[in-house]
Amino acid sequence: MGSLKRRLILGTAMLVLLVLGTALVGISAIRSLDQAVTTDLDAVLRGNVLASALVGLQAEQTRAAESYLTNGDGQSQNQFRVIGDSAHTIQRALRRLSGLSAEDQARLNQIAIHQGEVEVAFARAHALRDLGRPQAARTAADQAQPPTDSITAALTALTTIQQNRVQTQASSLQRLATRRQSVVWLLFIVALLLGVATAAWIIQSIDIPLARLTAATDRMGKGDLRPVDLGSMPHELQQLGESVNRMGSSLHDVVEAVIREAREVSASASDFSAMSQQLAASGSQITEEMSHVSSRAVEQAANVKTLESVFSDIRRGVTTNAGLAAESSELSHRIRSIADYHRSSIERTTASLGELRTIVSSAGEQIKRLTGQADRLADFVERVRSLADQNGVLAVNAAVESGRIHESGEGVSAVAKEIRTLADAGGELVESAERVTATLHAQIQETVGGIATGSARILAIEGATAQTGGALQEIIQAVDAVTVSAEKVVGGVKRVHGLVGDLAEHTTAVDAIARQQAAVNDSVAASVAEQTASTEEIARGAAGLFEAAQRLQALVSDFRI
Amino acid sequence: MWNPLRTAPVLSWIFTVLTLASCGRGNRPIVIGLAGPLSDPVGAPMLAAARMAVDEINAAGGVRGRRLALEFYDDLGVTDSAVRIAATLSAGEAVAVIGHAFSRTTLAAAAVYAGAPIPIASITPSSSSPDITEAGDWLFRTCPTDLSHGDALAKWAKDGLQLDRGAVLYVNDEYGRGIRRAFVDRFSGLGGEILEQDPFLDSPPDMGPFLERIQQGGRTQFLMIAGDRPQAMGIIRQARALGLQMPILGGDGLEGIEQDGALANGAFVSSAYLPILTTPANRRFVDQYRNRFPNEGPPNQPGAATYDIIHLLARVIGESGVKRAAIRDGLSRVGREDPSYRGVTGPIGFDAHGDLLGQQVWISEVKDGAIKLAGER
């Protein structure tokens, strides 16, 4: 309800609905009345027309029947039948009329029956007439009168009932129309009152808030940007008021910012002016420097030319070094093959010395075993000596005994003598064996000493031979290292050759760049000249800006924020 | 004095109430109205055949889980009764009506059925007037129109019997006038001559002057009677009494005339149904009918058609529901959007006017108290 739009829509919708309702009720009333009147009128009209037609046909049929009775012409008889068929057709049409009650239908049935009776009566009369019985024919024809009267009465009753029904219906419709008319008037008055109330309500809803809004905007127009309390008002105007307040607030912020910025601009404009002058001076300096750079670039281009000839010499020297390195590599290969040959001779000598040392070692072992046998021989001699000594003791003991048993001991004395002899011979043998053993020991000791000396010499020779082989091995390794180095030198020389080529190309590129640099330098110099001109322009602008800032400060000083 | 015709409606109402009460409240039956001259030889087979069909359907489980029940009234063949019965059935629980049997009663009641607050469809088994064609969207019929009967009889008289001149004696109601008009138009069109067109109303009628004139004229070769069976017998009796031995032709109103004695011999009757037809469905129907109603005569066209209509309604209610409008719509689709129903009277379907599609008329001859097929159209 707070929205002006909703109020307008609501009010308008209510008005439209009421007007629509009024119109619908009116239209409905008119339509229903129209339909009822149309239907009833149509039924009554059709009923009256049909009833009248039926009455008329009946009269015609009677006339035709009477005509045949009088004249006997076939045309009248045929007409009588045709009119009868038409009468039955009208009866069926009457039966199909809308709004007929069961009583009406029964009445129509009676009319049809009476119609049949009339026709039968006249048909019999005609037959009797044809048979030449006019009196009987007349009597028969007269029998048609009661049903004819009944038909007329029934039709009259039907018409009257229809008319009464229409009158009743008309009264009912009149009452309905009066009620509908009252309802329409009531709806119209309600719509009118509601419309006036809605209009007043809407105008009031707009007018008061609008006046407050006008006052607020007037005050803002005068420069008073302080917030305004607009009070309660419809949604749209509330939004408008809030927008005005927001606008004032924004304007307040803007003015504040403008003042602040104006001050800053004013301060900055001075600095800007000074800086632009410095910039102009810097531009002149840059021009000079660029001129210098340009001349150095020309020199650089000349140096590059010189560098190109140096690179050409280097390329030739590198090519020569590559050839020497190849020769060195070949020479190293040859030294290695000679060293390999001598090393194999030394390896063979070392093998022969090894075999000799094995033989000497084997002789030493044999001498050690001989020494052992000499020692065992010395032990044997010692045991023999021990036996000879025991034999000597035994001989002494035998001599002593033989002396005590002198008379009986001559045998013993002989044995003792023998033993003494044997002991003496053993002693001599032992002494001889001891001399041989000593000689043998002395000789063995001499042989052992000789072998030890020989072994020492062999070991010395082996050591010298091993040292010679090691020296040769070192020579081979040195030669291999020289070969590898020579190959590396060849590879390095090739890479150096390539690098020198690349360097020459780069030098050419540097030359082109130097030329472009010179052109750019010229362009930069021109730009610097333009910049200098622009800087002077900026300096003039800064001065104008400063003046504008001053004026802006003067303008915003009127706002109340 | 006790009058069975007056008490018949009361008895039928009591029977209906008892039938409805016996069905209980939990599963209310679907009520089908039946109206016609039920105490008349024409209408009695309608009620018998209707009961037979309802019993068959209920024995098979009913329709949509509900039993069928008949609410039947005897209109005595009188239009006023027909109108009152139509008002009663329209206001009741019936979902559809079978009836009425005569064109006059059917036309009188049709406006009531169609104009009810909740309109109800009616299907007439035997009303043949051409006027029924234009009687509204709520009326259907399962018999050929008088145009078909009149056409078949005229052709049979002219071509079959080689007769050139005749007299038409017609009951002066919707039925009689319809047959008369169709016959006269067709016979004249075939080159024949109609010498007399004489109306009557009573039953039996006094046709003396007309028959005497015919006799006096001496040129009439046959009598065409457009009335019901008692009226026709009265006319034949009078004609024979006057010495008129000419052939008698009649419309379907004369059905069953073979049961009326030797006077009916030689009569030619047009019919939309004959119990002597040898189709399996008809044989089964006739056998069951005779077993159940051994004291009645053979079923006639209104009876056989009523039997078919009950089964047709069961199918339509099963498919469309029990709302009156839905049943009407369902009936209007039979034979066009939906397949025709094949009954004992032949295939049943409806055209846009509610008339039977593919109408077929048989011509039978009465010989020695029995009917014999004479021709087909």
Side-chain angles (χ1 to χ4, degrees):
Chain A
M1 194 56 74
S3 163
L4 197 61
K5 186 178 172 184
R6 283 187 187 172
R7 291 182 202 195
L8 279 167
I9 290 171
L10 184 67
T12 310
M14 287 175 70
L15 274 174
V16 168
L17 281 176
L18 276 169
V19 169
L20 200 62
T22 308
L24 284 175
V25 169
I27 290 168
S28 167
I30 292 167
R31 185 176 291 171
S32 61
L33 286 173
D34 184 49
Q35 282 180 345
V37 168
T38 303
T39 305
D40 289 345
L41 274 181
D42 184 60
V44 169
L45 285 174
R46 280 180 57 81
N48 280 333
V49 167
L50 291 172
S52 300
L54 195 56
V55 171
L57 284 174
Q58 195 180 15
E60 283 185 35
Q61 192 180 25
T62 302
R63 274 197 297 276
E66 292 291 348
S67 174
Y68 183 77
L69 281 175
T70 306
N71 305 321
D73 59 321
Q75 188 180 356
S76 298
Q77 191 179 33
N78 190 48
Q79 193 179 8
F80 166 76
R81 191 176 299 118
V82 171
I83 292 171
D85 288 343
S86 299
H88 288 295
T89 303
I90 288 175
Q91 285 171 29
R92 287 195 296 275
L94 275 170
R95 190 174 283 144
R96 286 197 290 268
L97 281 177
S98 61
L100 292 179
S101 65
E103 288 179 356
D104 295 335
Q105 292 284 355
R107 195 167 281 110
L108 285 172
N109 291 336
Q110 288 303 312
I111 290 171
I113 290 169
H114 292 317
Q115 177 72 27
E117 289 171 352
V118 169
E119 288 172 353
V120 169
F122 276 118
R124 286 178 63 83
H126 292 168
L128 288 167
R129 185 222 170 262
D130 292 342
L131 289 171
R133 303 173 195 166
Q135 191 63 38
R138 185 69 263 164
T139 305
D142 289 343
Q143 289 179 355
Q145 192 56 45
T148 303
D149 294 341
S150 298
I151 290 171
T152 307
L155 283 173
T156 305
L158 188 66
T159 309
T160 305
I161 288 170
Q162 285 286 87
Q163 286 172 347
N164 290 338
R165 186 176 295 128
V166 169
Q167 283 179 352
T168 307
Q169 185 70 9
S171 302
S172 172
L173 289 174
Q174 198 171 10
R175 286 195 299 276
L176 181 66
T178 307
R179 280 202 303 275
R180 296 278 175 91
Q181 196 177 22
S182 304
V183 171
V184 170
W185 273 112
L186 183 67
L187 284 172
F188 175 73
I189 291 166
V190 170
L192 191 65
L193 291 174
L194 191 69
V196 170
T198 306
W201 177 49
I202 291 170
I203 288 167
Q204 194 181 13
S205 303
I206 297 171
D207 190 46
I208 295 171
L210 212 54
R212 290 207 295 267
L213 274 171
T214 306
T217 48
D218 279 348
R219 201 183 75 166
M220 196 176 292
K222 289 172 183 171
D224 188 350
L225 300 178
R226 290 173 299 175
V228 181
D229 182 12
L230 293 168
S232 154
M233 54 180 64
H235 183 63
E236 290 85 352
L237 295 177
Q238 187 80 39
Q239 282 186 326
L240 186 60
E242 287 170 3
S243 297
V244 169
N245 267 335
R246 275 200 303 277
M247 186 180 71
S249 174
S250 300
L251 203 55
H252 176 277
D253 295 343
V254 168
V255 168
E256 216 172 35
V258 165
I259 291 169
R260 189 170 59 250
E261 291 298 326
R263 286 174 186 156
E264 287 180 6
V265 167
S266 179
S268 302
S270 307
D271 299 341
F272 191 45
S273 180
M275 286 169 68
S276 62
Q277 286 173 0
Q278 287 178 1
L279 192 62
S282 300
S284 302
Q285 199 172 348
I286 287 170
T287 306
E288 290 174 10
E289 290 297 329
M290 287 309 297
S291 175
H292 182 64
V293 166
S294 185
S295 63
R296 291 297 299 267
V298 173
E299 286 177 15
Q300 187 181 352
N303 289 336
V304 166
K305 288 286 184 189
T306 309
L307 200 59
E308 280 179 358
S309 66
V310 170
F311 280 137
S312 179
D313 294 343
I314 289 171
R315 204 176 293 145
R316 282 195 300 276
V318 166
T319 306
T320 308
N321 284 344
L324 290 174
E327 288 176 7
S328 171
S329 177
E330 189 181 348
L331 189 59
S332 298
H333 281 299
R334 284 165 57 188
I335 290 170
R336 181 192 168 96
S337 63
I338 293 167
D340 283 341
Y341 172 76
H342 286 295
R343 197 178 65 168
S344 61
S345 300
I346 287 168
E347 283 174 356
R348 284 195 302 273
T349 305
T350 303
S352 301
L353 286 172
E355 290 174 3
L356 181 60
R357 193 177 48 158
T358 305
I359 294 167
V360 170
S361 296
S362 175
E365 291 294 323
Q366 287 177 352
I367 288 168
K368 282 178 183 176
R369 284 195 300 273
L370 191 59
T371 304
Q373 286 175 354
D375 289 341
R376 282 194 303 270
L377 184 60
D379 290 338
F380 178 73
V381 170
E382 187 60 34
R383 283 179 192 168
V384 172
R385 179 189 291 270
S386 173
L387 286 173
D389 288 343
Q390 286 174 354
N391 283 333
V393 169
L394 195 48
V396 167
N397 289 335
V400 165
E401 286 298 321
S402 59
R404 259 182 342 169
I405 58 175
H406 183 346
E407 306 123 18
S408 46
E410 285 184 14
V412 175
S413 179
V415 171
K417 284 178 181 172
E418 286 295 328
I419 291 171
R420 181 69 185 210
T421 307
L422 190 54
D424 289 343
E428 288 172 2
L429 283 173
V430 169
E431 284 174 0
S432 176
E434 280 175 348
R435 282 190 305 271
V436 171
T437 303
T439 305
L440 188 59
H441 267 290
Q443 286 177 348
I444 288 169
Q445 286 301 325
E446 283 178 9
T447 305
V448 168
I451 288 170
T453 305
S455 294
R457 285 182 182 172
I458 288 168
L459 286 171
I461 292 168
E462 276 183 345
T465 307
Q467 283 176 354
T468 306
L472 280 172
Q473 184 66 31
E474 287 175 2
I475 288 167
I476 289 168
Q477 288 173 350
V479 167
D480 287 342
V482 167
T483 306
V484 170
S485 299
E487 287 170 354
K488 285 180 180 175
V489 167
V490 171
V493 166
K494 287 178 180 174
R495 283 197 299 275
V496 167
H497 190 268
L499 286 171
V500 168
D502 294 343
L503 199 54
E505 288 176 5
H506 287 310
T507 305
T508 308
V510 168
D511 181 43
I513 289 167
R515 291 174 192 281
Q516 288 174 3
Q517 181 67 39
V520 169
N521 286 342
D522 292 341
S523 175
V524 168
S527 298
V528 167
E530 288 177 5
Q531 183 188 345
T532 305
S534 300
T535 306
E536 291 170 356
E537 198 75 22
I538 288 169
R540 284 194 295 277
L545 184 63
F546 180 73
E547 291 173 5
Q550 293 294 326
R551 287 198 299 275
L552 189 60
Q553 275 184 322
L555 284 172
V556 298
S557 62
D558 291 337
F559 283 102
R560 298 175 63 186
I561 55 175
Chain B
M1 183 179 172
W2 181 70
N3 186 341
L5 293 181
R6 287 180 183 279
T7 54
V10 178
L11 291 174
S12 67
W13 185 83
I14 293 169
F15 176 82
T16 303
V17 169
L18 290 174
T19 304
L20 293 175
S22 67
C23 294
R25 291 185 180 179
N27 187 12
R28 296 171 62 185
I30 298 170
V31 179
I32 294 175
L34 175 65
L38 304 182
S39 56
D40 183 275
V42 174
M46 289 173 63
L47 180 58
R51 283 174 171 159
M52 213 169 87
V54 166
D55 290 345
E56 286 174 4
I57 291 166
N58 287 339
V63 181
R64 302 173 81 90
R66 296 166 64 181
R67 292 171 57 79
L68 286 186
L70 282 175
E71 182 180 357
F72 56 88
Y73 296 94
D74 189 347
D75 65 9
L76 307 174
V78 177
T79 51
D80 289 349
S81 296
V83 168
R84 282 195 297 274
I85 289 168
T88 304
L89 284 171
S90 300
E93 294 186 355
V95 297
V97 173
I98 302 169
H100 297 237
F102 300 141
S103 295
R104 58 179 180 271
T105 49
T106 297
L107 283 169
V112 179
Y113 291 129
I118 303 174
I120 184 170
S122 60
I123 310 147
T124 174
S126 52
S127 301
S128 53
S129 169
D131 295 330
I132 287 175
T133 300
E134 303 297 332
D137 298 334
W138 293 84
L139 179 58
F140 301 84
R141 65 172 150 195
T142 59
C143 63
T145 67
D146 292 338
L147 296 175
S148 300
H149 286 283
D151 189 82
L153 287 166
K155 201 172 175 190
W156 177 249
K158 189 71 176 67
D159 298 338
L161 301 177
Q162 302 290 313
L163 302 173
D164 296 321
R165 298 177 303 279
V168 177
L169 311 176
Y170 64 96
V171 59
N172 197 14
D173 62 8
E174 303 292 347
Y175 169 73
R177 286 192 293 268
I179 290 272
R180 183 210 78 192
R181 197 162 59 237
F183 181 86
V184 170
D185 289 349
R186 180 65 169 161
F187 192 74
S188 301
L190 290 171
E193 185 181 4
I194 299 300
L195 302 174
E196 297 263 350
Q197 296 183 52
D198 300 324
F200 60 85
L201 282 172
D202 300 328
S203 185
D206 177 11
M207 302 299 286
F210 302 124
L211 294 174
E212 284 181 36
R213 188 169 59 183
I214 290 169
Q215 186 183 39
Q216 197 176 64
R219 296 179 63 225
T220 302
Q221 295 176 310
F222 65 91
L223 294 179
M224 162 66 197
I225 301 174
D228 61 21
R229 179 173 143 195
Q231 290 167 335
M233 281 309 297
I235 291 170
I236 293 172
R237 193 172 292 112
Q238 292 174 48
R240 300 296 186 238
L242 284 173
L244 295 172
Q245 298 300 326
M246 58 194 62
I248 304 294
L249 284 80
D252 56 341
L254 273 62
E255 269 192 274
I257 199 171
E258 72 276 6
Q259 301 168 38
D260 291 338
L263 275 177
N265 278 338
F268 295 94
V269 179
S270 71
S271 181
Y273 166 80
L274 292 171
I276 59 171
L277 293 176
T278 55
T279 60
N282 187 53
R283 278 184 177 174
R284 187 168 56 252
F285 165 68
V286 172
D287 290 344
Q288 289 174 352
Y289 186 89
R290 281 180 168 155
N291 288 336
R292 180 156 177 181
F293 309 105
N295 297 325
E296 305 287 339
N300 59 3
Q301 190 276 333
T306 299
Y307 179 84
D308 282 347
I309 293 168
I310 294 278
H311 281 285
L312 171 63
L313 279 174
R315 190 186 92 175
V316 170
I317 292 169
E319 292 171 353
S320 306
V322 296
K323 300 282 186 189
R324 289 177 174 182
I327 292 171
R328 193 216 76 83
D329 293 343
L331 285 170
S332 70
R333 290 194 296 269
V334 176
R336 289 185 293 167
E337 298 171 34
D338 295 342
S340 296
Y341 171 73
R342 295 201 165 272
V344 299
T345 60
I348 296 176
F350 302 108
D351 66 13
H353 298 285
D355 281 339
L356 183 69
L357 287 168
Q359 301 178 355
Q360 188 176 29
V361 173
W362 309 90
I363 303 293
S364 59
E365 182 182 5
V366 179
K367 275 191 176 177
D368 301 327
I371 55 171
K372 178 184 166 188
L373 194 61
E376 174 189 348
R377 178 188 175 271

